[in-house]
Amino acid sequence: MSGFELVVKNVLVVNHDQDEPVAADIAVRDGKIAQVAPGIDVTGVPRVVDGEGKLAFPGVVDAHQHWGIYNPLAEDTVSESRAGAQGGVTTALNYMRTGQYYLNKGGPYADFFPEVLAASEGRAYVDYAFHLAPMSQGHIAEIPDLVERFGVTSFKVFMFYGGHGLHGRSADQNSFLMIPEGERYDYAHFEFVMRGVQAARERFPHLADEISLSMHCETAEIMTAYTRLVEEAGELSGLAAYSASRPPHSEGLAVSIASYLAHETGLPTINLLHLSGRKAVDAAVRMSKAFPHIDFRREVTVGHLLADIETASGIGGKVNPPLRPREDVEALWEYVADGTVDWVVSDHACCRDEAKFGSDREDVFLAKSGFGGAEYLLPGLVTEGRKRGVSYGRIAALSSYNPAVRYGLRGKGVLAAGYDADIALVDPNATWTVRAEDSESTQEYTPFEGFELTARVTDTFLRGIRILEDGKVVGTPAGRYLARPYARD
């Protein structure tokens, strides 16, 4: 008697360490993969799923989402995790901070984070964890406690927040950030955050490689000046105007500053988030050559890989950093293909229609920033990546293995014995058209409306539990909060 609770038969197993998939079956016991091999005996197995020759990817580890930014966290946890399941996501790592949006409060994380955990508990269809942003001096002091007590091992700096608003120009960022009077959210603060994260790495040496700092790299002063130039000139509109108002060299400059600060503080584990085009990635590559002792990881979003300022469906495509012209999209794909990019994420931030658009639905500067996209993460990567010669193994590394390793998710990211039975079945020959109405997200629009994709996630399994069947979300929430490091058998 095998004791298997599930066998997924007749699939092409994709893993990060081999370019092409291998025909095999996947056996599951106690939520973990027990065996990957051809011809597994299914006698007495209570659940047998015929994969019909589809690709079996490791469940996507979407390392960049924002549950609860524009909607109540408890609601977003349900709907947006369901949307993630549609895109093959089985683990969502969410950025969270104090200040306006999210829970709309300041104060210590010792008080704030238990509220976050309580609001999301028992409501997610996928496993999840949180990155936290130290917004104040007090938060920096809390970093060791967040690592030890809550299993939070990744932190974030938003480099432009001290002098530029989330959606555009701002004259009062301190009240937005809800930081103590007399404190500033500036380069000095970023330095001290880095020192705090590095101190935690030294305090917990067994976790050092998995304790990291993520950087949103844009420069407030450049963006404020260029926003004024673009608005006064009045020659551009829509996403083209927004891209020009937050120019690519603003990213490159911020990447350079962040990198030097990492060098100065001795913090080697730096993640450069959502690099939007050639200048941003070029700066990141230059900095890795200048500071080879810093273990930079470079992130790109599926939004920046799928859409540009011309093809996105309206100003619903407003996001930070902005969608760029087509030449930047193709540059990103070059970097994805050659190994420069480490992982691809959704940066999923559900912003409903009534919240997204201002009084003038054509004025990009009145619209909110951010949109959902986890539903299209794996389908988009397979569709556009294969056109450009990106191997299936590389896609598995980009979407699952690489972020799992960096962020301390030791039990995720590989279809092999001992790892969680997180599986996304993909039909690489299913052509379909993106429609917002087909998404489980509560967002009523998508920048990808009308895009044609040629790969579809048909089934998603979380620790052996089927959460997506024939393209439809099924069952009840089974997702768990993952304190890190999250081990495997």
Side-chain angles (χ1 to χ4, degrees):
M1 192 71 172
S2 67
F4 300 147
E5 63 201 39
L6 166 70
V7 173
V8 181
K9 293 190 65 66
N10 186 26
V11 290
L12 296 171
V13 175
V14 183
N15 271 314
H16 68 283
D17 55 355
Q18 50 196 23
D19 285 345
E20 296 305 317
V22 175
D25 304 336
I26 304 171
V28 178
R29 183 189 298 119
D30 298 328
K32 302 279 188 178
I33 295 174
Q35 187 180 4
V36 178
I40 293 176
D41 183 4
V42 297
T43 303
V45 176
R47 291 189 295 143
V48 178
V49 174
D50 184 358
E52 299 175 334
K54 294 169 188 166
L55 298 166
F57 278 87
V60 172
V61 177
D62 188 353
H64 194 151
Q65 293 198 20
H66 294 273
W67 295 352
I69 181 171
Y70 294 120
N71 309 304
L73 176 58
E75 295 178 16
D76 255 8
T77 300
V78 178
S79 60
E80 306 318 298
S81 66
R82 288 171 66 93
Q86 292 180 296
V89 175
T90 50
T91 304
L93 285 86
N94 288 278
Y95 284 98
M96 181 64 60
R97 60 166 172 76
T98 55
Q100 290 186 24
Y101 297 100
Y102 302 104
L103 300 190
N104 289 301
K105 60 174 62 178
Y109 274 119
D111 298 330
F112 182 93
F113 194 53
E115 290 190 37
V116 170
L117 296 178
S120 51
E121 185 177 7
R123 305 179 70 83
Y125 280 75
V126 303
D127 284 351
Y128 59 98
F130 293 96
H131 316 279
L132 295 179
M135 308 303 293
S136 66
Q137 294 172 18
H139 289 165
I140 298 173
E142 288 189 276
I143 288 174
D145 189 56
L146 291 170
V147 173
E148 196 166 33
R149 180 179 167 203
F150 295 109
V152 174
T153 57
S154 46
F155 302 90
K156 184 176 183 180
V157 160
F158 305 82
M159 290 186 71
F160 71 91
Y161 268 5
H164 199 78
L166 178 59
H167 313 298
R169 280 186 290 168
S170 167
D172 189 12
Q173 280 302 94
N174 264 43
S175 64
F176 170 75
L177 299 174
M178 296 184 180
I179 57 179
E181 188 174 349
E183 291 195 21
R184 292 177 60 84
Y185 193 78
D186 56 12
Y187 293 142
H189 179 72
F190 308 158
E191 175 190 332
F192 296 135
V193 170
M194 288 185 179
R195 294 191 186 280
V197 174
Q198 176 56 16
R201 294 181 71 255
E202 294 169 1
R203 179 166 170 175
F204 307 107
H206 62 295
L207 300 177
D209 289 344
E210 297 165 321
I211 296 175
S212 65
L213 181 65
S214 297
M215 309 291 293
H216 180 134
C217 295
E218 290 184 284
T219 312
E221 294 83 356
I222 298 288
M223 297 191 302
T224 298
Y226 272 75
T227 298
R228 185 175 294 112
L229 287 174
V230 170
E231 288 185 312
E232 288 176 355
E235 297 170 359
L236 296 174
S237 62
L239 298 182
Y242 197 60
S243 178
S245 78
R246 300 172 82 112
H249 72 275
S250 161
E251 280 186 83
L253 178 59
V255 166
S256 303
I257 294 169
S259 301
Y260 187 84
L261 283 177
H263 164 68
E264 170 64 23
T265 59
L267 175 61
T269 46
I270 296 291
N271 313 308
L272 301 173
L273 302 184
H274 43 44
L275 301 169
S276 72
R278 187 176 297 281
K279 286 186 177 180
V281 183
D282 176 71
V285 171
R286 289 172 186 270
M287 290 301 100
S288 67
K289 292 175 180 175
F291 306 116
H293 52 293
I294 306 297
D295 181 17
F296 293 106
R297 301 295 165 88
R298 294 172 284 266
E299 172 187 285
V300 168
T301 81
V302 71
H304 289 99
L305 288 172
L306 293 183
D308 62 49
I309 58 174
E310 300 293 335
T311 62
S313 179
I315 64 171
K318 180 179 179 179
V319 68
N320 302 330
L323 297 180
R324 300 296 187 191
R326 175 51 48 173
E327 53 264 32
D328 278 308
V329 175
E330 295 306 327
L332 290 181
W333 276 112
E334 292 174 22
Y335 291 124
V336 164
D338 70 11
T340 302
V341 170
D342 291 287
W343 56 74
V344 176
V345 299
S346 69
D347 196 0
H348 187 100
C350 173
C351 187
R352 296 176 185 172
D353 189 281
E354 63 182 354
K356 178 76 176 185
F357 302 100
S359 55
D360 180 352
R361 294 181 66 90
E362 301 302 314
D363 188 343
V364 73
F365 293 105
L366 294 180
K368 297 284 197 300
S369 298
F371 52 78
E375 315 93 308
Y376 316 114
L377 185 41
L378 194 51
L381 265 177
V382 173
T383 296
E384 296 297 326
R386 293 299 287 168
K387 288 179 187 176
R388 295 165 173 83
V390 181
S391 72
Y392 286 126
R394 174 85 176 121
I395 292 170
L398 289 162
S399 63
S400 193
Y401 179 77
N402 289 352
V405 169
R406 174 61 121 192
Y407 290 122
L409 297 168
R410 303 173 186 175
K412 303 288 190 181
V414 184
L415 295 180
Y419 287 85
D420 282 8
D422 294 351
I423 307 163
L425 298 187
V426 175
D427 183 346
N429 301 304
T431 298
W432 57 290
T433 302
V434 173
R435 301 291 181 208
E437 63 188 21
D438 297 328
S439 170
E440 289 281 350
S441 172
T442 57
Q443 185 173 284
E444 303 95 330
Y445 62 91
T446 175
F448 316 119
E449 187 76 25
F451 283 28
E452 185 176 274
L453 300 181
T454 57
R456 185 161 206 157
V457 177
T458 62
D459 300 83
T460 305
F461 298 84
L462 173 67
R463 289 177 277 101
I465 301 166
R466 201 176 204 166
I467 59 174
L468 186 79
E469 182 173 0
D470 194 23
K472 303 294 183 185
V473 177
V474 295
T476 56
R480 300 172 182 167
Y481 170 68
L482 303 179
R484 294 171 281 157
Y486 176 74
R488 65 184 172 95
D489 288 349

